[in-house]
Amino acid sequence: MKKKSIAYPIVFMLILSAVLVFILAFINKLTTPKIEFNSEIELKSKILYVFDIPVDSENPEEIDKVFNENVEEKDYEDTKYYVYKKGDEVEAYAVPIEGPGLWGTITGYIGVNKDFTETTGIEFIKQEETPGLGGRISEAPYKEQYRGIDISTPTDGKYVINKPANGGNIDAIAGATQTSTFVTDMINDDLKTFIEKEGGAN
């Protein structure tokens, strides 16, 4: 085919496009398993944090090993919850929480002990709150408040309450009252539902 032919650039572009598509497909095939593994490890690390199980967060192999040795995954509605076991004995549950935030949906897990009397921790899987304000729910100082909260006698049906309200046990984030309220509301709603549905079966 002559280079001056009208068809030449069309054929050339078609061949070039086919080659580029093949290369991209090949790269995607190579990287997809790694991306999926990293995503899985990130989730496992967060669930271990909820259960307050120490692990080297920079060591994917250790995270995978510790998770597989201690945690079981269970179906729950259209998602999953997780069970922390020592041998055959249940120690705690990681309960899924989800609700609206200021800028998007907030999802995560709240941990509770086997008797549903005390929290073990909290972790967020997804949140789009304002960095430096509502986004601070993902920071350790806020999350660590959810270790060891007594939920055996809810106040007006609520397990977690922002201070200084009656029965308050959580310090809301300064300047992010709405996000703080969204979080406690979803915890109270979803934890109550989980205990009512799954509590008697576990």
Side-chain angles (χ1 to χ4, degrees):
M1 183 183 298
K2 294 182 179 180
K3 291 187 177 182
K4 292 184 179 181
S5 168
I6 295 176
Y8 178 81
I10 297 175
V11 173
F12 177 79
M13 290 304 298
L14 288 174
I15 294 173
L16 180 61
S17 297
V19 171
L20 291 176
V21 168
F22 174 79
I23 292 172
L24 289 174
F26 180 72
I27 293 173
N28 182 67
K29 185 176 181 180
L30 288 178
T31 58
T32 295
K34 182 66 174 177
I35 292 171
E36 291 176 349
F37 176 75
N38 289 340
S39 178
E40 182 180 326
I41 289 299
E42 182 181 5
L43 175 59
K44 288 181 176 181
S45 179
K46 288 177 180 290
I47 297 301
L48 292 175
Y49 179 85
V50 169
F51 290 135
D52 202 16
I53 300 174
V55 67
D56 181 359
S57 61
E58 301 299 320
N59 188 330
E61 288 75 19
E62 181 181 341
I63 292 170
D64 195 48
K65 180 175 183 293
V66 173
F67 181 93
N68 293 335
E69 288 176 350
N70 293 277
V71 181
E72 290 184 6
E73 182 181 275
K74 302 279 188 178
D75 290 325
Y76 178 69
E77 297 182 345
D78 58 348
T79 184
K80 306 283 185 181
Y81 74 91
Y82 297 88
V83 183
Y84 170 31
K85 287 186 174 183
K86 284 185 178 180
D88 294 328
E89 293 295 319
V90 172
E91 294 292 322
Y93 304 94
V95 180
I97 54 173
E98 180 176 3
L102 193 61
W103 302 111
T105 301
I106 298 173
T107 63
Y109 287 88
I110 179 77
V112 291
N113 66 353
K114 62 182 178 181
D115 301 317
F116 303 103
T117 59
E118 188 176 273
T119 61
T120 65
I122 195 172
E123 184 58 282
F124 297 96
I125 307 302
K126 174 189 174 186
Q127 62 93 359
E128 300 172 2
E129 301 304 278
T130 307
L133 292 173
R136 291 172 58 202
I137 59 174
S138 291
E139 296 178 3
Y142 180 78
K143 295 187 297 183
E144 286 297 313
Q145 297 183 91
Y146 289 88
R147 305 278 193 208
I149 297 175
D150 182 357
I151 60 171
S152 59
T153 53
T155 301
D156 297 327
K158 297 179 179 179
Y159 303 104
V160 292
I161 301 171
N162 289 319
K163 300 174 182 177
N166 179 43
N169 47 21
I170 295 294
D171 286 319
I173 297 172
T177 304
Q178 283 183 290
T179 297
S180 300
T181 301
F182 289 143
V183 170
T184 54
D185 283 350
M186 74 177 72
I187 290 172
N188 289 320
D189 290 344
D190 293 341
L191 191 52
K192 181 176 184 292
T193 299
F194 180 85
I195 292 174
E196 289 176 350
K197 287 186 176 182
E198 303 291 329
N202 290 292

